[in-house]
Amino acid sequence: MKSIRYPTKLTAALAGAVLLCSAASAQAREFSVSTVLSDAFPWGQAAEKWAELVEERSEGRITLRVYPNSQLVAGDQTREFSAMRQGLIDMAIGSTINWSPQVPELNLFSLPFFMPDEAAVDAITGGEAGEMIFDAIESRGVVPLAWGENGFRQLSNSQGPIDEPADLEGLKIRVVGSPLFQDTFTALGANPTQMSWADAKPALTTGAVDGQENPLSVFDVARIDQVGQEHLTLWNYMNDPLIFAVNQQIWGSLPAEDQELLRQAAIDAGEWEIAMTREEESGRLAAIQERGVQVVELTDEQHQAFVEATRSVYEQWEPRIGEELVQTAREAIETR
């Protein structure tokens, strides 16, 4: 049987095509991205936007596969940072609250009534204090890229209106796994009950807990009013910025141009998500009220009563967070 001999030019062309395909395949990479919430919420939409921008700007060479609902850590959102540091998760858009057990500096944002408005949040994240926080994250094996926003957290319950600290006396309030939240609600006379978000709605449904605290976007999309949460207090007691981040080893394996692509896409996705979250606040509140939820908006005097009731929390937590960081953030707020 005669062997088939291809023309030299055709052979070279085929070989070249194979090499090009192999090179393209070698360069193509897929990474996991963890989030606590799905794309029904702004948080999840931020992850999808990041993935979309990276896919577009890399021309399909880099794919970010989003895993919502903390599924990569079996629903335990407080393990997300550790899992990313260990390389079990490539990337994440995480909450400062959920990551604070591993990065104490992130508790800055959970200090009760520390940030009075969105301008204060921006002054911190966009200034020296924000840089100090990013340095603290990077020192623990994770590279932070950009900020997003989960929003100011509001208080709801099934028992009645809350407009003074005494109204919280004895109420079981679901909180995330952060000791600072335990201390804050204990100072207010409540009975803080730690549980994951996956367990929170069933507990609210059965009455195992009386209330919870979350941004309006979560209250609205998750229809928390349908599980007995008929009373909502707007008290803006803390804000929960989100952080786009990458495992340090993954980051180090990327060429400089891909690092820049990922970082800029994260910055752009974060800015987009922050603007969207803030723009939707008034509409969400109106929708919540239309569903029959009774909303309390605190007067300045009522707000100050909550500030005074939680002042002792600062004495406990400033040293743990870092007095220099807290002071830097306070100065940023005062000069905003």
Side-chain angles (χ1 to χ4, degrees):
M1 182 175 180
K2 292 182 178 180
S3 62
I4 299 173
R5 297 185 63 186
Y6 290 97
T8 303
K9 289 185 178 180
L10 177 59
T11 303
L14 288 171
V18 170
L19 286 172
L20 284 172
C21 289
S22 298
S25 176
Q27 290 176 353
R29 299 188 69 176
E30 178 177 304
F31 301 101
S32 61
V33 179
S34 175
T35 66
V36 170
L37 297 178
S38 72
D39 61 4
F41 302 82
W43 189 339
Q45 291 164 21
E48 294 293 345
K49 186 68 171 180
W50 190 20
E52 174 191 319
L53 292 175
V54 169
E55 179 88 11
E56 175 186 306
R57 294 175 185 181
S58 70
E59 297 181 337
R61 189 169 46 79
I62 302 175
T63 299
L64 304 187
R65 187 171 299 281
V66 179
Y67 293 86
N69 303 316
S70 303
Q71 59 184 284
L72 296 180
V73 285
D76 185 353
Q77 59 214 56
T78 59
R79 287 180 48 221
E80 185 178 66
F81 186 88
S82 294
M84 180 166 45
R85 182 172 56 191
Q86 294 164 6
L88 303 176
I89 294 172
D90 299 327
M91 306 180 187
I93 301 178
S95 156
T96 57
I97 301 168
N98 293 334
W99 293 2
S100 64
Q102 290 80 39
V103 187
E105 291 85 351
L106 291 175
N107 285 295
L108 173 75
F109 297 102
S110 298
L111 282 173
F113 307 102
F114 184 64
M115 297 166 288
D117 50 34
E118 291 164 348
V121 178
D122 294 343
I124 293 173
T125 59
E128 184 181 353
E131 293 175 2
M132 293 169 71
I133 290 168
F134 270 23
D135 287 344
I137 293 172
E138 189 156 8
S139 72
R140 291 169 173 88
V142 169
V143 180
L145 304 181
W147 296 96
E149 185 166 282
N150 200 24
F152 278 103
R153 298 174 78 91
Q154 316 300 354
L155 176 68
S156 73
N157 84 100
S158 60
Q159 301 303 307
I162 294 176
D163 59 21
E164 62 179 355
D167 294 330
L168 274 161
E169 189 68 37
L171 290 187
K172 293 181 180 178
I173 305 296
R174 175 266 173 179
V175 296
V176 296
S178 164
L180 177 46
F181 279 65
Q182 297 274 345
D183 291 344
T184 296
F185 280 91
T186 298
L188 290 167
N191 179 9
T193 304
Q194 176 185 325
M195 62 180 62
S196 70
W197 179 240
D199 295 331
K201 283 192 75 174
L204 292 167
T205 302
T206 62
V209 292
D210 301 308
Q212 62 85 51
E213 48 76 53
N214 254 309
L216 287 183
S217 61
V218 175
F219 189 100
D220 182 29
V221 177
R223 294 295 192 267
I224 297 179
D225 49 289
Q226 294 181 356
V227 291
Q229 299 295 286
E230 300 173 351
H231 303 276
L232 179 66
T233 298
L234 303 181
W235 63 343
N236 284 13
Y237 86 115
M238 64 150 295
N239 190 289
D240 180 26
L242 302 176
I243 298 171
F244 294 68
V246 183
N247 165 273
Q248 201 168 63
Q249 291 183 327
I250 291 288
W251 185 253
S253 74
L254 296 170
E257 58 268 26
D258 286 350
Q259 291 180 349
E260 179 56 28
L261 187 155
L262 280 166
R263 187 189 302 277
Q264 191 57 54
I267 291 170
D268 293 343
E271 290 177 349
W272 171 84
E273 186 266 342
I274 291 170
M276 176 185 65
T277 299
R278 293 177 180 180
E279 288 169 4
E280 291 178 344
E281 281 283 283
S282 59
R284 291 194 186 281
L285 180 58
I288 290 167
Q289 290 177 302
E290 286 174 6
R291 297 201 296 268
V293 177
Q294 296 183 39
V295 176
V296 171
E297 297 191 51
L298 301 178
T299 65
D300 290 343
E301 184 178 351
Q302 289 170 331
H303 184 271
Q304 188 59 32
F306 284 98
V307 173
E308 294 298 331
T310 55
R311 196 171 297 281
S312 62
V313 177
Y314 283 75
E315 298 174 6
Q316 301 174 53
W317 280 90
E318 276 197 53
R320 303 187 203 179
I321 296 168
E323 293 180 358
E324 182 183 358
L325 173 58
V326 174
Q327 184 56 33
T328 301
R330 186 175 285 121
E331 290 171 359
I333 292 172
E334 291 171 353
T335 58
R336 70 191 187 282

